[in-house]
Amino acid sequence: MQQSLTDTTKAQGFPQRLRAVLFDMDGVLYNSMPSHAKAWHRAMAHFGYDLPEQEAYMHEGRTGASTINIVSRRQRGVEESEERIQEIYRVKSQFFNEYPPAEPMPGALELLRKLQAQGLKILIVTGSGQASLLDRLNHHFPGVFCRELMVTAFDVKRGKPDPEPYLMGLQKGGLRAEECVVVENAPLGVRAAKAAGIFTIAVNTGPLPDNALTDEGADLLLPSMQALCDSWEELSARFGA
Ligand code: CA
């Protein structure tokens, strides 16, 4: 159930001089999570593991190795070897690439253009490590993103739910937490952003119940990126942007 913007407003929690918005990528800017969840399920089954698609959404944001080892410990009581982890992850990526390329999330580009018009900095903080990430972003969201304001799998040691990726985003942007908001779709992403001390808007673009996001401390919950885009003027006024 969507909470109204007014109900969830805690004036002291809202950034008062917003300078930047930090976006997660999968499930926020791209509708890529259904394919990721299917690929995880198939790849793990290929190696004798049971990882239901729904559970894959709960692990979203973790590094691949971390996800694999959670399932491995549960099923076999031990972690996988580094070599096998790489093999499993390779198969997962192969399955993922068999699916059609993910489409941009409806409402995402429109929202990004609004932020640009306000002169806000726009950052990406993703656990993804695709080499062609920036090319793809530039294709779908021309002129929005630059390498200097991106945090990817290549930049961090500890993935979400550790705050490291978001803290690095703040550092790259020369920003303080209270000048920013994060847009996230995954429970562990919300946890990471909140641990970094940043106001976090959750968009529930997947199959999980809303409380999976609010239990992690999301400050605001919206049902889609389009809903966030449509609410942006109202929110923006509260953010002092
Ligand atoms: Ca995500």
Side-chain angles (χ1 to χ4, degrees):
M1 189 180 66
Q2 187 197 348
Q3 295 157 297
S4 90
L5 298 177
T6 324
D7 290 348
T8 53
T9 300
K10 290 170 294 216
Q12 70 275 23
F14 269 60
Q16 287 308 297
R17 273 190 288 276
L18 187 67
R19 288 181 59 207
V21 182
L22 286 67
F23 286 90
D24 170 54
M25 189 176 74
D26 288 297
V28 169
L29 297 177
Y30 287 102
N31 188 19
S32 44
M33 277 312 297
S35 299
H36 277 298
K38 285 196 203 90
W40 267 119
H41 171 71
R42 282 176 62 201
M44 292 300 272
H46 183 83
F47 289 89
Y49 286 118
D50 181 33
L51 175 58
E53 282 180 36
Q54 174 95 357
E55 186 189 337
Y57 284 92
M58 290 303 294
H59 293 306
E60 185 188 346
R62 282 191 207 285
T63 62
S66 170
T67 299
I68 290 163
N69 276 330
I70 283 171
V71 180
S72 176
R73 281 197 300 271
R74 179 173 72 208
Q75 225 169 298
R76 302 188 309 131
V78 290
E79 299 203 340
E80 275 288 7
S81 66
E82 186 57 38
E83 200 176 29
R84 277 263 293 188
I85 286 171
Q86 284 183 19
E87 176 63 8
I88 296 169
Y89 196 70
R90 189 189 62 75
V91 169
K92 185 262 168 179
S93 301
Q94 188 183 318
F95 285 146
F96 178 76
N97 288 327
E98 287 173 9
Y99 297 114
E103 295 290 324
M105 200 63 91
L109 181 59
E110 191 185 347
L111 173 62
L112 291 166
R113 292 291 183 232
K114 287 183 182 182
L115 305 183
Q116 282 188 307
Q118 289 176 293
L120 295 169
K121 280 191 184 181
I122 299 170
L123 290 87
I124 281 205
V125 178
T126 178
S128 177
Q130 300 165 61
S132 58
L133 206 62
L134 188 56
D135 289 344
R136 201 158 141 266
L137 286 164
N138 283 337
H139 175 70
H140 291 111
F141 308 102
V144 177
F145 299 103
C146 63
R147 185 68 192 92
E148 294 68 39
L149 294 179
M150 285 175 66
V151 178
T152 74
F154 300 115
D155 297 305
V156 296
K157 288 194 187 67
R158 303 177 296 278
K160 302 171 188 175
D162 193 281
E164 183 193 18
Y166 280 109
L167 292 173
M168 190 171 286
L170 295 178
Q171 192 180 20
K172 285 196 175 200
L175 297 157
R176 290 181 293 124
E178 57 270 27
E179 298 172 326
C180 302
V181 300
V182 162
V183 183
E184 262 287 352
N185 73 304
L188 298 180
V190 172
R191 192 189 302 176
K194 290 305 296 174
I198 310 173
F199 187 96
T200 304
I201 301 173
V203 286
N204 194 357
T205 61
L208 298 177
D210 285 349
N211 69 6
L213 296 161
T214 51
D215 288 354
E216 295 291 353
D219 296 286
L220 212 56
L221 178 74
L222 289 151
S224 65
M225 283 294 280
Q226 189 64 60
L228 176 57
C229 179
D230 295 343
S231 307
W232 184 252
E233 283 76 13
E234 182 189 345
L235 278 175
S236 186
R238 292 177 187 278
F239 291 142

